[in-house]
Amino acid sequence: MIVMPPRPLRPCKKPNCTALTRDETGYCEKHKVEYLEILKKQKAERDRRYDENIRKTRDKQYYEFYKSDEWERVKKQILIRDKGLCQWCLQKRIIKTADVIHHIVPIKDDWSKRFDLSNLVSLCYECHNKHHASKG
C-alpha cells in the first residue's frame, strides 16, 4: 500500500491568523467553520435567486417538474453515470465537478425528452452558463 505524505503545513488564509494548517480549504480549524458558513450562505442566496428567477421565467409545469421527486432521482442517476464531473470540461481534459444537469434538447422544445438519459449531461455552472449565454 502506498502511503501519501501529509500536505505541507501552510498559514491559514484568514488575514492576521498565525495558525498553520494542512486542510484542503486553506483555513485552520477555527476559521474553517466560518469559511464553510459563508459558503453555505452564498449557496442559499444563489439558490434563492435561482428559484426566484425560475418562478418569473418558467410556467408552473416547468417549475413543478424541476421540484419533482422523479427529477431528483434522474439527476442522481446522471451524476453517478457521469462520475460527478462536468462532461464538457472533461472533453477538454479539465477535471471539474458538475453542478447542473443540462437538457441537450431543451424541454421547452421536446417535453417528452425531459427524463431521457441520453438527453441529459452533467455540467459545471461555468459551462452551463456559457452555453445559455451563447443561445441568447
Side-chain angles (χ1 to χ4, degrees), residues 44-94:
E45 177 61 19
R46 190 171 55 242
D47 290 350
R48 184 194 63 74
R49 279 185 278 133
Y50 180 78
D51 287 346
E52 191 175 278
N53 187 45
I54 282 179
R55 278 188 226 103
K56 289 178 186 172
T57 59
R58 295 189 180 141
D59 66 19
K60 190 174 182 178
Q61 178 185 27
Y62 297 109
Y63 181 74
E64 287 177 357
F65 163 70
Y66 283 111
K67 294 297 182 184
S68 71
D69 290 340
E70 190 172 1
W71 174 241
E72 290 299 320
R73 283 191 296 275
V74 170
K75 280 187 349 185
K76 285 179 186 170
Q77 270 186 282
I78 297 302
L79 284 170
I80 290 168
R81 179 195 72 190
D82 294 345
K83 297 175 179 54
L85 300 174
C86 173
Q87 297 302 292
W88 292 356
C89 283
L90 208 52
Q91 289 174 357
K92 296 180 247 174
R93 298 182 175 268
I94 299 168

Side-chain angles (χ1 to χ4, degrees), residues 9-128:
L9 284 170
R10 303 202 178 204
C12 175
K13 288 182 177 180
K14 179 80 174 182
N16 301 320
C17 179
T18 58
L20 297 175
T21 183
R22 286 191 167 98
D23 194 86
E24 65 273 0
T25 64
Y27 290 92
C28 66
E29 287 304 310
K30 176 182 173 187
H31 295 116
K32 180 180 178 178
V33 173
E34 292 174 21
Y35 168 73
L36 294 176
E37 278 300 312
I38 289 169
L39 286 183
K40 190 191 277 186
K41 286 177 185 174
Q42 287 173 341
K43 182 183 182 326
E45 177 61 19
R46 190 171 55 242
D47 290 350
R48 184 194 63 74
R49 279 185 278 133
Y50 180 78
D51 287 346
E52 191 175 278
N53 187 45
I54 282 179
R55 278 188 226 103
K56 289 178 186 172
T57 59
R58 295 189 180 141
D59 66 19
K60 190 174 182 178
Q61 178 185 27
Y62 297 109
Y63 181 74
E64 287 177 357
F65 163 70
Y66 283 111
K67 294 297 182 184
S68 71
D69 290 340
E70 190 172 1
W71 174 241
E72 290 299 320
R73 283 191 296 275
V74 170
K75 280 187 349 185
K76 285 179 186 170
Q77 270 186 282
I78 297 302
L79 284 170
I80 290 168
R81 179 195 72 190
D82 294 345
K83 297 175 179 54
L85 300 174
C86 173
Q87 297 302 292
W88 292 356
C89 283
L90 208 52
Q91 289 174 357
K92 296 180 247 174
R93 298 182 175 268
I94 299 168
I95 304 293
K96 201 164 182 187
T97 303
D99 304 303
V100 179
I101 304 302
H102 173 70
H103 286 90
I104 299 163
V105 174
I107 60 175
K108 289 180 181 176
D109 295 344
D110 190 347
W111 180 253
S112 68
K113 290 189 174 188
R114 67 191 183 281
F115 294 119
D116 181 349
L117 301 184
S118 65
N119 186 46
L120 299 168
V121 63
S122 301
L123 300 179
C124 64
Y125 284 125
E126 187 177 347
C127 285
H128 192 252

